[in-house]
RNA sequence: GGCCUCAUAGCUCAACUGAAUAGAGCAUCUGACUACGGAUCAGAAGGUUUCAGGUUUGAAUCCUGAUGAGGUCACCA
């Protein structure tokens, strides 16, 4: 959307492909997998690796409880559980570049990326550039050295490094662990720098969940203190969590709705619904499959897009696959219907010259025109607010207005030839705006459905 | 516990940033010229905007307090 209004946009994505969490998965795999691979189990790579992350946490929890039962206090137990010790050791080995660890790391990451690729491709997501944390964290460490030199950061006796933000009303923030390994924010310092050097951006918009508000504030402050020119351009577009009716999604407890499963489910519903209506009997089977995908994804994306991103929302899988009302399929249907009418009308009308019956507009026609005229300003608004939901709402209203117009007035058998041309043109414009608006939301609209 | 968000119809969301009768969709009920594609359209019903104070000509919106929900305060990312 930003691109559409004249900004030059570089979509980037940071993959946190290193760190203690990866080590945990790797360790659990070594301990429990007995040589299993995604291929041997038939699982998607990212799911497969995720499973071992969960296994690690289960085992970790068990060990901690065991230690507590032996009379150890909670904090010590959390630190001394052997499996956690091992994970930490592995992280150090990784940063030292030990071959065995590196090899395992590459192998498992490969699995994960394969899984991601499939999903991203399916939902039509793409990035101009992907950063890997494994590439940026070293630069982050360099940033820390710089911070130390300029006095923004201080090194404590045990070797850990901190940024003092207390005079800004915040606490001290750890930037390097005492064993010299880097933490989350270290990598972010490097990333900000790397991005700036490459693009000299005016604005760098971080789309991150609102639970990291504090983190982003700290990041910006540190950059500012270090006198980085890009500190002011760093903007945090925080979004609220998506919850389930049954409660929050927690990866550790397995209460997540998996994107792949959800999409499959919705495709199934789209299929049933379409078959019920029996309007596309002449479609080839691969056309059908792509149609179901378009509808299912359209429904899903629209459901997420229509809400102000800053707020938390409850995602009800059952409701999202409802194709009535304020939904993606409603709009797709409207578009398909317009196309059908236009098709029937032939092409002669396109060359016909518009007429000057300014006084003779009926209310339904006027309403539609008014709607169409608002489109540019709506985009503008969505842009400045970083809020795509205004587009979603607008397109929905447009479709609704058009449907009203459509049922009140006949297009093909209009009172006069002039009216017919006018209405055809209005219909065509509506279809274009719907197409364009939905495109901005990353949603496709079918010619027929 | 400190700090930060949020609370609107039974449910999911709006309300142009202080303005006139608080709007949509779902669910519920009633209808649609004998369907240019009915995945549609027209209508009904549904509200003390969590509670209690305050500021203002005017408050869902701003301030204070209460209650409830979530987040964050890690040598996790």
């Amino acid at each position: 959307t930003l691109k559409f209004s004249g900004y030059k946009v570089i979509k980037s994505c940071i993959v946190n492909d290193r760190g203690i969490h990866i080590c945990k998965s790797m360790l659990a795999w070594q301990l429990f997998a007995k040589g299993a691979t995604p291929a041997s189990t038939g699982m998607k790579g990212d799911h497969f690796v995720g499973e071992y992350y969960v296994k690690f946490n289960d085992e970790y929890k068990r060990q901690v409880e065991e230690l507590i039962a032996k009379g150890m206090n909670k904090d010590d137990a959390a630190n001394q559980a052997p499996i956690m010790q091992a994970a930490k050791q592995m992280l150090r080995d990784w940063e030292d570049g030990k071959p065995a660890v590196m090899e395992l790391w590459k192998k498992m990451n490969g699995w994960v990326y394969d899984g991601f690729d499939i999903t991203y491709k399916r939902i039509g997501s793409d990035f101009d550039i992907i950063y890997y944390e494994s590439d940026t964290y070293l630069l982050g460490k360099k940033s820390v050295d710089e911070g130390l030199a300029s006095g923004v950061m201080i090194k404590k006796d045990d070797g850990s490094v901190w940024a003092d933000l207390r005079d800004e009303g915040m606490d001290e923030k750890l930037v390097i662990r005492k064993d010299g390994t880097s933490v989350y924010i270290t990598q972010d310092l490097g990333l900000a720098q790397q991005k700036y050097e490459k693009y000299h951006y005016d604005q760098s918009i971080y789309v991150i969940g609102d639970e990291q508000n504090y983190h982003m504030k700290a990041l910006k402050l540190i950059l500012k203190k270090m006198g980085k020119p890009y500190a002011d351009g760093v903007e945090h577009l925080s979004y609220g969590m998506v919850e389930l009716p049954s409660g929050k999604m927690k990866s550790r407890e397995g209460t997540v709705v998996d994107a792949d499963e959800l999409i499959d489910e919705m495709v199934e519903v789209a299929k049933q619904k379409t078959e019920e209506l029996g309007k596309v009997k002449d479609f080839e089977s691969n056309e059908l499959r792509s149609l179901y995908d378009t509808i299912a994804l359209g429904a899903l994306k629209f459901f997420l897009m229509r809400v102000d991103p800053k707020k938390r929302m409850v995602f009800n899988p059952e409701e999202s696959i409802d194709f009535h009302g304020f939904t993606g399929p409603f709009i797709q249907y409207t578009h398909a219907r317009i196309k059908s009418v236009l098709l029937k009308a032939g092409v002669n009308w396109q060359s016909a010259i518009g007429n000057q019956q300014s006084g003779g507009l009926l209310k339904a026609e006027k309403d539609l025109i008014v709607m169409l005229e608002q489109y540019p300003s709506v985009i503008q608004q969505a842009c400045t607010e970083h809020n795509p939901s205004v587009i979603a709402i607008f397109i929905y209203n447009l479709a609704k207005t058009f449907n009203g117009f459509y049922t009140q007035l006949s297009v093909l058998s209009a009172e006069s030839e002039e009216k017919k041309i006018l209405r055809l043109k209005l219909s065509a414009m509506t279809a274009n705006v719907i197409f364009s608006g939905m495109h901005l939301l990353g949603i496709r609209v079918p010619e027929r459905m």
Side-chain angles (χ1 to χ4, degrees):
Chain A
T1 308
L2 283 169
K3 201 186 293 186
F4 197 77
S5 62
Y7 286 90
K8 188 174 175 208
V9 179
I10 293 127
K11 281 192 280 185
S12 71
C13 170
I14 172 77
V15 179
N16 297 115
D17 62 347
R18 45 135 268 131
I20 190 83
H21 60 297
I22 302 284
C23 291
K24 288 177 182 175
S25 297
M26 298 195 318
L27 197 62
W29 184 80
Q30 282 184 330
L31 291 176
F32 309 119
K34 301 184 183 98
T37 64
S40 75
T41 54
M43 284 173 76
K44 248 176 108 237
D46 49 340
H47 295 177
F48 179 82
V49 173
E51 193 147 288
Y52 287 98
Y53 185 68
V54 173
K55 280 197 177 138
F56 174 90
N57 275 317
D58 289 348
E59 177 64 16
Y60 176 52
K61 216 161 140 190
R62 199 186 60 75
Q63 291 188 1
V64 169
E65 274 164 17
E66 207 174 275
L67 289 175
I68 291 175
K70 283 183 193 159
M72 196 178 280
N73 77 47
K74 218 173 171 183
D75 291 343
D76 287 347
N79 276 320
Q80 290 180 18
I83 195 166
M84 181 54 92
Q85 293 284 333
K88 284 183 178 168
Q89 179 57 45
M90 192 178 253
L91 179 60
R92 279 191 291 273
D93 289 347
W94 187 89
E95 292 206 4
D96 290 343
K98 278 201 180 167
V101 177
M102 292 306 279
E103 197 182 315
L104 176 61
W105 174 71
K106 278 181 187 154
K107 181 162 74 176
M108 291 190 71
N109 269 340
W111 295 341
V112 173
Y113 297 152
D114 289 347
F116 280 0
D117 266 2
I118 293 170
T119 301
Y120 279 142
K121 211 166 275 170
R122 189 164 187 199
I123 64 179
S125 229
D126 65 273
F127 296 99
D128 297 313
I129 182 158
I130 297 178
Y131 290 104
Y132 296 101
E133 189 184 346
S134 48
D135 296 330
T136 60
Y137 86 101
L138 285 174
L139 193 58
K141 283 190 167 180
K142 224 183 286 168
S143 274
V144 171
D145 291 341
E146 203 179 305
L148 277 170
S150 64
V152 175
M153 297 171 194
I154 42 170
K155 192 170 215 155
K156 296 209 170 172
D157 296 339
D158 61 4
S160 58
V161 180
W162 300 73
D164 189 351
L165 303 174
R166 276 177 299 193
D167 49 338
E168 307 285 345
M170 299 172 78
D171 286 327
E172 292 180 302
K173 182 92 182 164
L174 176 94
V175 289
I176 292 277
R177 269 191 279 262
K178 70 178 169 203
D179 60 5
T181 56
S182 67
V183 292
Y184 188 47
I185 199 162
T186 320
Q187 157 272 131
D188 258 328
L189 290 169
L191 178 63
Q193 172 123 8
Q194 191 175 351
K195 277 192 193 165
Y196 185 75
E197 278 168 3
K198 186 147 184 191
Y199 301 115
H200 293 89
Y201 54 73
D202 302 314
Q203 260 193 338
S204 177
I205 304 172
Y206 286 71
V207 183
I208 313 180
D210 58 6
E211 74 265 20
Q212 293 191 27
N213 285 346
Y214 182 83
H215 171 78
M216 290 307 295
K217 220 165 116 191
L219 174 64
K220 187 165 177 169
L221 259 172
I222 293 175
L223 289 173
K224 211 164 193 170
K225 283 198 146 196
M226 291 174 70
K228 299 292 185 188
Y230 45 83
D232 287 324
V234 170
E235 189 173 329
H236 180 200
L237 172 57
S238 74
Y239 58 84
M241 280 299 129
V242 177
E243 293 175 28
L244 293 173
S246 52
K248 194 175 174 343
M249 295 196 204
K250 287 186 181 160
S251 52
R252 269 164 306 188
E253 294 172 16
T255 53
V256 288
V257 168
D258 179 75
D260 300 299
E261 271 172 35
L262 182 65
I263 293 170
D264 286 343
E265 213 174 290
M266 294 187 67
V267 166
E268 190 50 40
V269 176
K271 185 176 164 191
Q272 276 176 22
K273 190 76 188 171
T274 307
E275 280 170 357
E276 245 170 60
L277 293 166
K279 288 173 180 168
V280 287
K281 285 178 185 141
D282 56 329
F283 272 42
E284 302 286 333
S285 68
N286 59 336
E287 276 180 300
L288 277 174
R289 204 154 349 114
S290 124
L291 175 66
Y292 299 150
D293 262 24
T294 322
I295 295 174
L297 286 172
L300 177 59
K301 286 183 182 175
F302 196 83
F303 192 82
L304 297 173
M305 286 297 199
R306 69 184 202 192
V307 180
D308 187 325
K310 288 188 197 62
K311 295 195 181 171
R312 271 181 305 171
M313 67 171 295
V314 174
F315 182 82
N316 184 335
E318 281 165 33
E319 204 171 297
S320 72
I321 55 181
D322 194 332
F323 295 161
H324 298 278
F326 194 178
T327 64
F330 169 84
I331 290 161
Q332 290 173 325
Y333 172 75
T334 305
H335 179 265
R337 197 164 58 170
I338 294 173
K339 286 292 181 182
S340 164
V341 173
L342 294 181
L343 195 68
K344 229 173 229 181
V347 276
N348 314 332
W349 60 275
Q350 281 178 6
S351 53
I353 303 157
N355 40 38
Q356 69 292 357
Q357 47 174 312
S358 44
L361 286 175
L362 298 170
K363 185 171 182 306
E365 294 166 339
K366 224 184 284 178
D367 288 347
L368 188 56
I369 293 170
V370 169
M371 274 315 265
L372 289 168
E373 279 171 347
Q374 287 170 9
Y375 185 53
S377 68
V378 165
I379 291 178
Q380 195 60 43
Q381 193 198 340
C383 229
T384 55
E385 288 180 16
H386 301 312
N387 182 0
S389 74
V390 302
I391 295 180
I393 293 166
F394 169 78
I395 296 293
Y396 168 69
N397 280 324
L398 174 65
K400 233 174 108 172
T401 307
F402 179 83
N403 283 332
F405 159 86
Y406 178 85
T407 44
Q408 279 176 57
L409 305 168
S410 175
V411 175
L412 291 181
S413 44
E415 310 87 276
S416 66
E417 191 63 18
E418 283 176 358
K419 278 285 186 194
K420 181 170 159 186
I421 289 166
L422 171 75
R423 286 175 194 169
L424 280 168
K425 286 199 164 165
L426 285 178
S427 304
M429 282 171 70
T430 307
N432 284 339
V433 171
I434 288 176
F435 178 87
S436 150
M438 292 294 268
H439 180 74
L440 291 178
L441 300 178
I443 300 172
R444 289 179 297 168
V445 285
E447 298 288 305
R448 293 175 57 199
M449 64 187 282

